[in-house]
């Protein structure tokens, strides 16, 4: 075995060699001169750093990437077929439609990664001969393995996990909409607060899994093994009653709009406290819902983009994954609301003027904004005391004179407390 060959016949690359190949690949991806698609197959790359690099469409199949740093690396549509990614740091990496069949990710950190439509199923993996290297390959079927992986806050919509082993994996606050998990081993997995709408769990092993507060609309667990699983507070499909009531609730919202348009002469402010508003889908987009009350309402996944919600009372409402992009929430009460993974980009949460000398501040005290998108929102003077902002992105947000008492700001992204008024 020559010195260049290491683990099972794979050539070891230095960081400098890898950097050159990746730089040429980045030129290839952006159509610049001197570009060349990266072929990084059957290589020994363990412990190297690929953070913040663009490896879209690259081929890294059957390579050893154990303990690699790949923070925010772009690996969309990349082939990681049969690769060894154990204990790699892939926080916030983008792996949209990546091929991870037969890959081993045991103990890797994929917190907040985007794995939309990624494929983790089993694959035929080529094993080089220990002495003859790549000249003599044998093939073996290897199961996808994500045991003890940290997927917290990640997006796994439409991903393929059929037959995959995900023992004790952390899927807390993940979005797994439409994910294919049939036959997967999710024993003792942490799925607290996970969004599993429409996920396929046929024949999956969910024994001892924690699904507390998970959103499980259109999820059939009848053939899954659920012994010892906790489903406290899990949100199931809207009841027949809620679906039947949807039109009446929508009418109340239209009445709210008329109330705004006529200066209070017609219609009335909507009262929707404790209601399941999920069946309304995108019907409330752009509506005038000033002063509406939806305390403790279930508003998971609602499209409220561009809605006028000035002074609205949304205390303790469940707004996980809701679209509030560009919504006017000046002076709104969101105390204790759950806004995990909500989209608040360009939203207005500044004070609402009520008269010459009166105005009311937006309240997000004790609200949960885990992994929320808050880029370029206006939170001037907003009260966020005691809020959970873990993993939220505040890049470009205005936070002049906002209050952050008893808030752990260490895990917040892009928060600039020095921004001028």
């Amino acid at each position: 075995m020559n010195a260049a060959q290491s683990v099972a016949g794979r050539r070891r690359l230095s960081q400098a060699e890898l950097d050159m190949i990746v730089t040429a690949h980045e030129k290839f991806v952006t159509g610049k001169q001197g570009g060349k698609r990266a072929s990084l197959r059957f290589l020994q790359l363990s412990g190297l750093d690929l953070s913040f690099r663009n490896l879209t469409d690259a081929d890294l199949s059957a390579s050893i990437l154990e303990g690699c740093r790949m923070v925010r690396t772009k690996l969309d549509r990349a082939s990681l077929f049969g690769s060894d990614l154990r204990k790699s740091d892939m926080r916030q990496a983008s792996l949209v439609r990546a091929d991870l069949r037969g890959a081993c990710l045991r103990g890797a950190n994929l917190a907040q990664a985007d794995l939309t439509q990624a494929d983790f199923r089993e694959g035929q993996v080529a094993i080089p001969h220990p002495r003859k290297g790549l000249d003599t390959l044998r093939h073996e079927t290897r199961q996808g393995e994500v045991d003890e992986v940290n997927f917290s806050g990640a997006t796994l919509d439409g991903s393929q996990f059929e037959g995959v082993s995900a023992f004790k994996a952390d899927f807390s606050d993940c979005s797994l909409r439409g994910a294919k998990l049939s036959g997967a081993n999710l024993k003792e997995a942490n799925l607290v607060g996970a969004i599993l709408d429409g996920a396929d769990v046929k024949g999956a092993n969910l024994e001892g899994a924690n699904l507390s507060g998970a959103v499980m609309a259109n999820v059939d667990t009848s053939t899954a093994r659920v012994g010892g699983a906790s489903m406290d507070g899990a949100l199931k499909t809207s009841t027949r009653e809620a679906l039947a009531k949807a039109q009446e609730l929508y009418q109340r919202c239209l009445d709210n709009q008329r109330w705004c348009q006529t200066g209070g002469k017609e219609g009335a402010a909507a009262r929707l406290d404790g209601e399941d508003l999920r069946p309304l889908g995108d019907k409330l987009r752009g509506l005038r819902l000033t002063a509406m009350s939806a305390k403790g309402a279930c508003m998971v996944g609602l499209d409220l983009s561009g809605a006028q919600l000035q002074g609205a009372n949304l205390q303790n409402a469940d707004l996980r994954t809701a679209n509030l992009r560009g919504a006017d929430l000046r002076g709104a009460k969101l105390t204790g609301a759950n806004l995990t993974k909500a989209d608040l980009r360009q939203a207005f949460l500044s004070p609402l003027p009520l008269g010459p000398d009166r105005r009311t501040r937006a309240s997000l005290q004790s609200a949960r904004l885990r992994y929320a998108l808050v880029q370029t929102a206006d939170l001037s003077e907003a009260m966020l005391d005691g809020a959970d902002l873990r993993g939220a992105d505040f890049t470009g947000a205005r936070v002049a004179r906002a209050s952050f008492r008893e808030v752990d700001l260490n895990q917040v992204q892009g928060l600039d407390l020095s921004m001028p008024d």
Side-chain angles (χ1 to χ4, degrees):
M1 177 175 164
N2 69 40
Q5 284 181 328
S6 62
V7 180
R10 285 169 175 79
R11 189 164 77 85
R12 171 86 198 171
L13 284 197
S14 67
Q15 184 70 50
E17 285 175 300
L18 181 61
D19 289 345
M20 275 174 63
I21 292 167
V22 176
T23 299
H25 182 81
E26 287 172 334
K27 285 180 181 167
F28 165 76
V29 170
T30 51
K32 291 190 179 127
Q33 222 174 345
K36 186 182 178 212
R37 186 181 176 205
S39 179
L40 293 160
R41 307 174 66 209
F42 289 106
L43 294 172
Q44 165 55 276
L45 306 167
S46 55
L48 299 183
D49 195 341
L50 286 159
S51 294
F52 306 102
R53 305 301 300 261
N54 187 346
L55 281 159
T56 298
D57 291 313
D59 189 353
L60 295 124
S61 26
S63 284
I64 309 274
L65 295 140
E66 189 175 353
C68 274
R69 266 183 62 80
M70 290 187 267
V71 176
R72 291 206 184 188
T73 305
K74 271 185 82 70
L75 288 153
D76 297 343
R77 297 179 306 280
S79 175
L80 290 148
F81 188 96
S83 57
D84 185 344
L85 290 150
R86 274 177 289 192
K87 299 204 165 119
S88 55
D89 185 353
M90 301 176 82
R91 284 169 296 158
Q92 295 180 324
S94 184
L95 293 127
V96 175
R97 291 172 62 195
D99 185 352
L100 289 148
R101 284 173 299 160
C104 177
L105 291 117
R106 195 185 310 141
N109 188 350
L110 284 142
Q112 283 183 268
D114 187 351
L115 294 140
T116 304
Q117 291 182 10
D119 192 346
F120 293 87
R121 292 171 300 170
E122 71 174 24
Q124 284 271 332
V125 182
I127 312 290
H129 191 275
R131 288 186 308 282
K132 298 175 186 166
L134 300 179
D135 300 332
T136 311
L137 294 175
R138 65 185 174 83
H139 290 80
E140 67 175 49
T141 299
R142 193 181 289 167
Q143 186 185 35
E145 196 184 316
V146 296
D147 295 337
E148 297 180 15
V149 168
N150 177 8
F151 285 113
S152 58
T155 301
L156 290 147
D157 297 341
S159 54
Q160 293 180 275
F161 276 95
E162 291 103 325
V164 171
S165 181
F167 173 67
K168 281 193 172 170
D170 183 354
F171 291 99
S172 56
D173 294 320
C174 259
S175 185
L176 285 146
R177 281 199 178 100
K180 294 173 177 67
L181 299 156
S182 56
N185 177 19
L186 294 152
K187 192 174 182 183
E188 293 177 42
N190 177 3
L191 289 141
V192 172
I195 311 285
L196 287 151
D197 286 347
D200 179 1
V201 297
K202 277 193 214 63
N205 183 356
L206 288 159
E207 288 170 353
N210 191 349
L211 290 138
S212 303
V215 179
M216 299 177 72
N218 302 313
V219 177
D220 179 4
T221 56
S222 61
T223 61
R225 284 149 61 188
V226 293
S230 168
M231 296 195 189
D232 295 345
L235 206 53
K236 301 283 180 22
T237 309
S238 297
T239 61
R240 242 187 237 138
E241 291 77 32
L243 291 166
K245 201 175 179 184
Q247 189 53 44
E248 183 204 321
L249 298 177
Y250 180 48
Q251 189 56 54
R252 285 188 216 171
C253 295
L254 292 176
D255 287 347
N256 200 135
Q257 175 156 280
R258 201 162 79 254
W259 181 71
C260 294
Q261 288 164 339
T262 61
K265 291 190 178 75
E266 292 174 34
R271 294 282 165 266
L272 305 161
D273 299 346
E275 300 285 3
D276 182 357
L277 301 174
R278 287 177 294 165
L280 297 181
D282 61 359
K283 285 184 171 175
L284 305 184
R285 191 169 55 198
L287 274 196
R288 293 181 69 173
L289 296 165
T290 306
M292 68 103 91
S293 182
K295 289 186 289 190
C298 180
M299 304 170 80
V300 175
L302 273 197
D303 185 351
L304 289 154
S305 55
Q308 296 197 29
L309 292 154
Q310 304 96 324
N313 190 343
L314 299 163
Q315 290 179 69
N316 300 314
D318 190 346
L319 284 149
R320 284 176 287 171
T321 70
N323 182 358
L324 288 152
R325 195 167 182 167
D328 190 344
L329 288 150
R330 285 176 298 160
K333 294 187 183 78
L334 286 149
T335 312
N338 190 347
L339 289 146
T340 300
K341 282 183 101 76
D343 187 348
L344 287 152
R345 286 175 288 182
Q346 289 120 40
F348 298 92
L349 287 142
S350 47
L352 177 69
L354 296 172
D357 306 310
R358 281 185 62 224
R359 56 210 198 112
T360 182
R361 293 161 71 187
S363 171
L364 290 138
Q365 288 158 306
S366 304
R368 268 189 283 179
L369 285 134
R370 283 187 212 158
Y371 314 113
L373 302 175
V374 198
Q375 294 101 312
T376 62
D378 187 352
L379 289 123
S380 308
E381 297 185 48
M383 296 180 284
L384 290 124
D385 305 338
D388 181 353
L389 306 182
R390 186 175 65 209
D393 189 344
F394 276 73
T395 305
R398 293 172 63 94
V399 290
R401 297 187 301 285
S403 175
F404 290 97
R405 279 194 293 267
E406 292 176 50
V407 176
D408 178 4
L409 296 175
N410 293 321
Q411 297 183 64
V412 183
Q413 294 171 56
L415 183 62
D416 185 0
L417 295 170
S418 64
M419 259 181 100
D421 292 6

